[in-house]
Amino acid sequence: MRLPVLIALTVIIITSTIFYRLESSTSSKKRDYVLVIHGGAGFVANTEDKEKIEAVTNGIRAALELGNEMLKNGAKSIDVIEAVITILENDSTFNSGRGAVLSMTKEAELDASIMDGSNLNAGAVGNVRIVKNPIKAARSVMDKTNHVLLVGEGAEQFAISQNLDIVENSYFVTQQNLNEWEQRAKLEKGGTVGAVAMDKYGNLAAGTSTGGMMRKMHGRIGDSPIIGAGTYANNNSCAISATGWGEKYIKNAAAFNVHALMTYKNLSLNDAMKEVMYKILDPKDGGMIAIDKNGNYSLIFTTQAMSRGIATSDGIFEIKIWE
Amino acid sequence: MRLPVLIALTVIIITSTIFYRLESSTSSKKRDYVLVIHGGAGFVANTEDKEKIEAVTNGIRAALELGNEMLKNGAKSIDVIEAVITILENDSTFNSGRGAVLSMTKEAELDASIMDGSNLNAGAVGNVRIVKNPIKAARSVMDKTNHVLLVGEGAEQFAISQNLDIVENSYFVTQQNLNEWEQRAKLEKGGTVGAVAMDKYGNLAAGTSTGGMMRKMHGRIGDSPIIGAGTYANNNSCAISATGWGEKYIKNAAAFNVHALMTYKNLSLNDAMKEVMYKILDPKDGGMIAIDKNGNYSLIFTTQAMSRGIATSDGIFEIKIWE
């Protein structure tokens, strides 16, 4: 075989390998606070242009630094989740807020959710097109309504009534996403963002925000705004944010499933995460990040990459994309 | 105290009593098929006009007869769920399809979902306003798309593309619901419909359809279209349809929770249902109906009433509202 053919074959073999990656830390002394962030699971070629890799790293770092500072200063986990995800939504590098992928109608249709593990309060919005920061709208649904999930026009009208920042849909649209839309790029483009935190008071919280799948049908909602599927937090077990093939996370109530395995089967956070990602979901479906009530964290993905960051009160401050 | 005062006090005491009701049947010989239907949990005064009670009973009976006949003739459970719920959606007695309660904007905003326990396939629509039978749209989402949940305009456009029956929103609106809207009637009006079935091939399926809560915010989505919250089906455990305070069912992934308790804690269907309704949810939150993989059924509610029907291959054919 000639060299180019060999190289091509090698690339195909490498990219079709099933990737399993679990990263976790248990600490004998309970940490004061912990923050874990993801910028989406998916395929990010190790060889991709340095600019992209730098943008992802910088985005995660900015969010991580802000969240770390807030938690150090005694902020509540629920406020940290909102602030951290807002930063990532404003960063066009990720598939949430500005930079979100485009639906079949060539628009950004955004989903987000947030949950407070101390009282199971939760809020979410789905299919919003003019709300600059869907995570803030989700927080407002939680705080200001007796509902959990508002979608579409109703969610937008509510966001307006709450004086949240409103933008044209074009604000979210980047040239790169337009190009990828035209090229019918892979449906499962990663980049969903999420965060889980434990604050100094021991309260857990979780949040997730996304533009969903490239070329998704108009009106499609994935797991990100579904409490129990893409997001879950319960002080008695853990806080979780998921990223990946949303429909499969919904059918398997993936985030709640981790809670259920810990609560009903007494599995550790790590073992519960492995059970859901390796046995219940299929290879390449995506990833999840989580913190348990003792401040142990766990990050897992079965895709080639998941951009992520960790900051803890005992000095861990890490940003990674692959291994 | 004078007699009218005494009577009034008695009524208050009776209506504020916490009602717990569990009805179940385990059969030593596995049944060929089972169908259980609910027409919603809530407050239905025993003294309410006979006309209403007759309408509820007739509606459940019509659905039960059709489903029983289909199952007897070898129909698949997923087809029975769709057919049975279609009947209830067309009946203005229930809070689904025609007869749905009205949102703050005085419109019917409909939610529905369906799930096939043999393969975990699922479909759902939320916040649709012109689709005559939301359960058919949910079925189409399951069969014809790679998504699980479509909402609002996108869901409506999809229903049109599938040649489903389209109606004006006024089709759903009854004079009674208009009156109750004006009177700011109780937010939690019951009447959500749902069905669970096991067919001759041992396959479980579940579905739920609703107009949600009276005076809900525009765009609000409850548990009914959320797989894992209002509906769940898995051949390895059970099929479930819920009715009640949707937001609480979402936060506790109520339907999936029953599956999780059976799967991870080896609880029986009955014990899992009791755990969720009596311990995880609060009194008066609502009810659930379910069938396990062995054809045992379980109906539970913590409200004053839940209209319901049961039909089995071994000759049970029952319709009840209270005890």
Side-chain angles (χ1 to χ4, degrees):
Chain A
M1 273 188 286
R2 291 169 61 186
L3 193 64
V5 178
L6 263 178
I7 290 172
L9 271 177
T10 310
V11 168
I12 288 167
I13 289 164
I14 289 173
T15 58
S16 66
T17 304
I18 293 161
F19 297 90
Y20 289 118
R21 174 79 187 144
L22 173 71
E23 183 178 356
S24 64
S25 160
T26 51
S27 173
S28 54
K29 186 172 170 293
K30 188 177 170 177
R31 297 184 172 102
D32 271 352
Y33 67 81
V34 184
L35 172 65
V36 183
I37 291 171
H38 71 74
F43 180 75
V44 183
N46 223 318
T47 51
E48 203 163 343
D49 60 302
K50 284 189 181 158
E51 224 170 277
K52 172 78 186 290
I53 291 166
E54 207 178 302
V56 169
T57 308
N58 288 344
I60 302 270
R61 181 180 295 115
L64 209 54
E65 281 174 349
L66 174 78
N68 188 42
E69 203 57 29
M70 287 178 74
L71 286 165
K72 193 184 291 176
N73 293 331
K76 290 194 291 184
S77 53
I78 192 80
D79 295 326
V80 172
I81 296 298
E82 183 184 347
V84 157
I85 292 183
T86 296
I87 288 204
L88 298 169
E89 284 178 344
N90 292 343
D91 185 333
S92 66
T93 309
F94 303 97
N95 176 18
S96 69
R98 186 157 155 69
V101 299
L102 307 178
S103 70
M104 276 308 288
T105 51
K106 233 191 237 190
E107 282 185 305
E109 302 187 24
L110 308 170
D111 302 335
S113 66
I114 192 165
M115 186 165 189
D116 184 338
S118 69
N119 51 23
L120 300 194
N121 281 347
V125 292
N127 198 234
V128 293
R129 292 180 275 180
I130 58 169
V131 181
K132 187 184 175 199
N133 291 110
I135 196 69
K136 286 178 187 275
R139 176 70 190 267
S140 293
V141 170
M142 178 176 108
D143 288 346
K144 306 289 179 56
T145 80
N146 59 350
H147 298 319
V148 166
L149 175 56
L150 295 181
V151 300
E153 188 188 83
E156 291 169 351
Q157 288 172 0
F158 169 68
I160 292 167
S161 79
Q162 298 299 305
N163 294 315
L164 298 182
D165 289 342
I166 302 298
V167 294
E168 298 281 329
N169 195 262
S170 59
Y171 160 80
F172 300 110
V173 181
T174 63
Q175 190 57 48
Q176 194 192 335
N177 280 336
L178 273 176
N179 295 345
E180 290 184 3
W181 191 94
E182 296 293 351
Q183 292 155 16
R184 300 181 155 271
K186 218 169 168 300
L187 276 170
E188 299 86 0
K189 194 202 172 192
T192 293
V193 307
V196 290
M198 184 187 77
D199 61 26
K200 288 186 170 179
Y201 323 104
N203 288 325
L204 297 173
T208 312
S209 181
T210 192
M213 301 157 82
M214 183 65 95
R215 283 182 170 267
K216 66 183 179 183
M217 288 172 67
H218 176 35
R220 177 264 192 183
I221 282 188
D223 63 318
S224 300
I226 307 293
I227 296 300
T231 301
Y232 202 73
N234 187 322
N235 273 8
N236 295 323
S237 55
C238 59
I240 303 164
S241 170
T243 162
W245 188 356
E247 278 72 11
K248 295 186 73 174
Y249 282 73
I250 293 176
K251 291 175 190 176
N252 293 289
F256 183 85
N257 217 329
V258 174
H259 158 85
L261 283 161
M262 294 178 72
T263 308
Y264 301 146
K265 235 181 160 176
N266 291 316
L267 295 195
S268 68
L269 176 63
N270 262 348
D271 286 345
M273 298 275 275
K274 284 195 275 187
E275 182 78 16
V276 171
M277 289 306 304
Y278 299 166
K279 295 189 182 164
I280 295 172
L281 294 174
D282 295 310
K284 299 189 184 181
D285 276 352
M288 295 198 287
I289 58 171
I291 301 174
D292 73 13
K293 61 179 174 179
N294 298 314
N296 303 313
Y297 61 78
S298 184
L299 302 85
I300 193 166
F301 54 100
T302 58
T303 47
Q304 194 253 356
M306 179 171 78
S307 61
R308 58 203 190 273
I310 305 161
T312 71
S313 54
D314 51 340
I316 297 172
F317 191 97
E318 280 180 8
I319 298 161
K320 291 183 182 173
I321 299 181
W322 303 277
E323 291 288 304
Chain B
M1 275 188 285
R2 292 170 59 187
L3 194 63
V5 178
L6 263 178
I7 291 172
L9 270 176
T10 310
V11 168
I12 288 166
I13 289 162
I14 289 174
T15 58
S16 66
T17 304
I18 293 160
F19 297 90
Y20 288 118
R21 175 77 188 146
L22 173 71
E23 184 180 355
S24 64
S25 160
T26 51
S27 174
S28 53
K29 187 175 168 294
K30 188 177 170 179
R31 296 183 173 104
D32 272 352
Y33 66 83
V34 184
L35 172 64
V36 183
I37 292 171
H38 71 75
F43 180 75
V44 183
N46 222 319
T47 52
E48 202 162 346
D49 61 300
K50 284 189 180 156
E51 224 170 278
K52 172 79 186 292
I53 292 166
E54 207 178 301
V56 169
T57 308
N58 288 344
I60 302 271
R61 181 180 296 114
L64 209 53
E65 282 174 349
L66 174 77
N68 189 42
E69 203 57 29
M70 287 178 74
L71 286 165
K72 192 184 292 176
N73 293 331
K76 289 195 291 183
S77 53
I78 192 79
D79 295 326
V80 172
I81 296 298
E82 182 183 348
V84 157
I85 292 182
T86 296
I87 287 204
L88 298 169
E89 284 178 344
N90 292 343
D91 185 334
S92 66
T93 309
F94 303 98
N95 176 18
S96 68
R98 187 158 154 70
V101 299
L102 307 179
S103 71
M104 277 307 289
T105 51
K106 233 191 239 190
E107 280 185 308
E109 302 186 24
L110 308 171
D111 302 334
S113 66
I114 192 165
M115 186 164 189
D116 184 338
S118 69
N119 51 23
L120 302 193
N121 280 347
V125 292
N127 199 234
V128 294
R129 293 180 275 181
I130 57 169
V131 181
K132 187 184 175 198
N133 291 109
I135 196 70
K136 286 179 188 274
R139 176 71 191 265
S140 292
V141 170
M142 178 177 107
D143 288 347
K144 307 288 180 56
T145 80
N146 59 350
H147 298 318
V148 166
L149 175 55
L150 295 182
V151 301
E153 187 188 83
E156 292 169 351
Q157 287 171 1
F158 169 69
I160 293 168
S161 79
Q162 297 299 304
N163 294 314
L164 298 182
D165 289 343
I166 301 299
V167 293
E168 298 281 328
N169 195 263
S170 58
Y171 160 81
F172 300 110
V173 181
T174 62
Q175 190 56 50
Q176 194 191 335
N177 281 337
L178 273 176
N179 295 345
E180 290 183 3
W181 191 95
E182 296 293 351
Q183 292 155 17
R184 300 181 155 272
K186 217 169 168 304
L187 275 170
E188 299 85 2
K189 196 203 169 192
T192 293
V193 307
V196 290
M198 184 187 76
D199 61 27
K200 288 185 170 180
Y201 323 105
N203 288 324
L204 297 173
T208 311
S209 181
T210 192
M213 302 157 81
M214 182 66 93
R215 283 181 170 268
K216 66 183 178 183
M217 288 173 68
H218 176 36
R220 177 263 192 183
I221 282 189
D223 62 317
S224 300
I226 307 293
I227 296 300
T231 301
Y232 202 73
N234 187 323
N235 273 8
N236 296 323
S237 56
C238 58
I240 302 163
S241 170
T243 163
W245 188 356
E247 278 72 11
K248 295 186 72 174
Y249 282 72
I250 292 176
K251 291 174 191 177
N252 294 288
F256 183 86
N257 216 329
V258 174
H259 158 85
L261 283 160
M262 293 178 72
T263 308
Y264 300 146
K265 233 181 160 176
N266 290 317
L267 295 195
S268 68
L269 176 63
N270 262 347
D271 287 344
M273 296 275 275
K274 283 195 276 188
E275 182 79 16
V276 172
M277 289 306 303
Y278 298 167
K279 295 189 183 163
I280 295 172
L281 294 174
D282 295 310
K284 300 190 184 180
D285 276 352
M288 294 197 288
I289 59 171
I291 301 174
D292 74 12
K293 62 179 174 179
N294 297 314
N296 303 313
Y297 62 79
S298 184
L299 302 85
I300 194 166
F301 54 101
T302 58
T303 46
Q304 194 253 357
M306 180 171 76
S307 60
R308 58 205 191 272
I310 305 161
T312 70
S313 54
D314 51 341
I316 297 171
F317 191 96
E318 281 180 9
I319 298 160
K320 291 183 182 174
I321 299 181
W322 301 278
E323 292 286 304

